[in-house]
Amino acid sequence: MPRPSARPALAAALAALLATPPVVAATGVPASAGVAAPACASPPAPARTVTERPWPQQRYAPERLAPLATGAGVTVAVIDSGVDRRHPQLAGRVLPGTDLLDPGGDGGRDCPGHGTGVASIIAAAPARGVAFRGLAPDARILPVRVSEQQVVDGRESGRTVSAAGFARAIRWAVDHGADVLNLSVVLYADSPAVRAAVEYAEERDVVVVAAAGNLHDSGDPSPYPAAYEGVLGVGAIGVDGGRSTFSQTGPYVDLVAPGGEVLMAAPGRGHLLADGTSYATPFVAATAALVRQYHPDWTAAQVSRRILASTDPAPGTGRRGDYGAGVLNPYRAVTETGGGAAVPAVAAALPRERPDPALVAQRGRRAAARERAVLLAAAGGAAALAVVLLAVVLPRGARRRWRPA
């Protein structure tokens, strides 16, 4: 896919930052307590509108899904850096949320642009002259602002909430009508408060989707909430379909989705490219929204099982720790039957080539025709043999009055 002419420096830094954990403040309380909202440490880099079709949309073809499901009536909470509702493709799709960094905010302030990008992968509206669109464009986004971390001049900066604040964000989203939680932030320490908040969401029939993290080169430390039971942990693949080198591997990877060179909306307007399991996660969250609309009577557990059972085979050896159940396939998740299908234990290797359905049908018709020809020939031969036998046997039988020879 052609890149924008000037890929923002921010986008390159997002791969390392945007699936990193909310940092626990030294005081153990949200860093914003009693502090007025400051200006962004670094204004978002300018971004141009991209008209080329992004590779994830070439793979998933949202327009093919649109007649079946668009996410209408489903609320996806994006617990992140906020969501900028000013972007033309997000207008009218972002509900009033909350800001746990700066009291009084509604989640619409986004300094690094991370949450805006995540939300756009889920729900960006189709726009004339723009090939990029969200996978579930009629879903409603509920923004919960918990971080403004970004990388400036190679250094990580910005505030985040504590683990307790992150847990509070999950509970707030559940209590305010979220059907799906998109958690594109990662804690690299098990927090009892966050664990309890995730269980709170699951008990209330909410699908929880979380990034598997970008620290593969640092030994794959356990990412939370992805490592919690019942959470769909999402790894990243690139344009070639293989696991992105940064994408973590381990038993917490339940499936993979596009996360390398992913196009998304930038704050205000325009688009940018970035890498990270952060951006693979919203493809799965959007698929959950599609399935929840298409099967409104299904539980969150059934939705998760369907998503895993309908994945495409993973490339190469298909080791479960690398790819989980396989590669996300939203169309199969929506259309295939059997809500309680079992999840494959190991993702199988991809076949060398996919057969053309028309060719398969043609071959079937030819095989059936050959079978009919063989049967007809056999029947004709049997009839001829019977005539010969009768011509010989009947006269002899008549002479012998049908006594044994």
Side-chain angles (χ1 to χ4, degrees):
M1 179 188 69
R3 293 168 176 262
S5 58
R7 182 176 181 176
L10 173 62
L14 288 175
L17 169 65
L18 296 180
T20 54
V23 177
V24 178
T27 59
V29 298
S32 62
V35 179
C40 293
S42 178
R48 72 175 181 89
T49 297
V50 177
T51 58
E52 296 88 354
R53 189 175 176 85
W55 75 266
Q57 290 182 203
Q58 294 179 36
R59 184 182 186 101
Y60 292 145
E63 66 279 0
R64 186 184 179 207
L65 281 161
L68 302 172
T70 59
V74 180
T75 299
V76 182
V78 174
I79 301 178
D80 214 293
S81 63
V83 177
D84 189 344
R85 57 175 59 86
R86 297 173 302 165
H87 194 285
Q89 289 185 274
L90 289 174
R93 283 161 167 74
V94 183
L95 301 170
T98 191
D99 191 329
L100 298 185
L101 277 178
D102 298 308
D106 67 353
R109 182 168 178 264
D110 185 9
C111 289
H114 185 245
T116 301
V118 166
S120 70
I121 292 170
I122 298 169
R128 180 175 296 180
V130 179
F132 170 76
R133 63 187 291 184
L135 197 59
D138 288 334
R140 296 170 300 211
I141 299 296
L142 181 65
V144 182
R145 184 169 177 258
V146 296
S147 174
E148 63 174 16
Q149 281 193 341
Q150 54 188 314
V151 175
V152 180
D153 296 329
R155 293 185 177 182
E156 188 176 297
S157 65
R159 302 167 299 150
T160 66
V161 298
S162 65
F166 187 48
R168 190 164 66 253
I170 292 173
R171 290 176 179 270
W172 188 94
V174 172
D175 291 341
H176 287 78
D179 302 299
V180 181
L181 296 184
N182 187 104
L183 307 176
S184 288
V185 288
V186 179
L187 285 163
Y188 284 103
D190 186 1
S191 163
V194 174
R195 181 189 292 269
V198 168
E199 292 174 352
Y200 180 82
E202 292 170 349
E203 289 167 358
R204 283 154 182 78
D205 199 38
V206 177
V207 180
V208 184
V209 188
N214 299 339
L215 301 184
H216 180 63
D217 291 339
S218 298
D220 295 312
S222 294
Y224 300 96
Y228 292 139
E229 188 71 25
V231 176
L232 288 174
V234 187
I237 58 171
V239 179
D240 63 355
R243 182 184 63 83
S244 299
T245 56
F246 56 79
S247 184
Q248 290 185 215
T249 63
Y252 42 78
V253 177
D254 293 301
L255 76 166
V256 294
E261 297 190 16
V262 174
L263 190 71
M264 66 203 69
R269 61 185 312 108
H271 307 91
L272 56 80
L273 283 168
D275 307 308
T277 58
S278 285
Y279 305 119
T281 304
F283 285 103
V284 179
T287 300
L290 297 174
V291 177
R292 296 219 88 160
Q293 179 197 355
Y294 198 75
H295 298 282
D297 56 329
W298 279 12
T299 65
Q302 286 177 301
V303 172
S304 296
R305 284 199 300 269
R306 163 58 68 81
I307 290 172
L308 294 178
S310 61
T311 55
D312 288 334
T317 59
R319 291 180 300 176
R320 186 167 179 82
D322 289 355
Y323 297 93
V327 182
L328 175 72
N329 187 324
Y331 189 82
R332 290 182 59 194
V334 170
T335 60
E336 288 190 353
T337 57
V343 179
V346 179
L350 283 171
R352 291 190 178 273
E353 61 179 24
R354 295 180 182 272
D356 184 341
L359 182 59
V360 170
Q362 184 185 58
R363 289 173 179 170
R365 290 193 296 271
R366 289 177 178 174
R370 285 196 298 269
E371 290 178 1
R372 287 195 299 270
V374 170
L375 289 174
L376 289 172
L385 180 60
V387 170
V388 172
L389 289 175
L390 289 172
V392 174
V393 170
L394 286 176
R396 291 183 179 180
R399 289 194 298 269
R400 295 180 180 179
R401 297 185 181 180
W402 300 109
R403 293 191 295 270

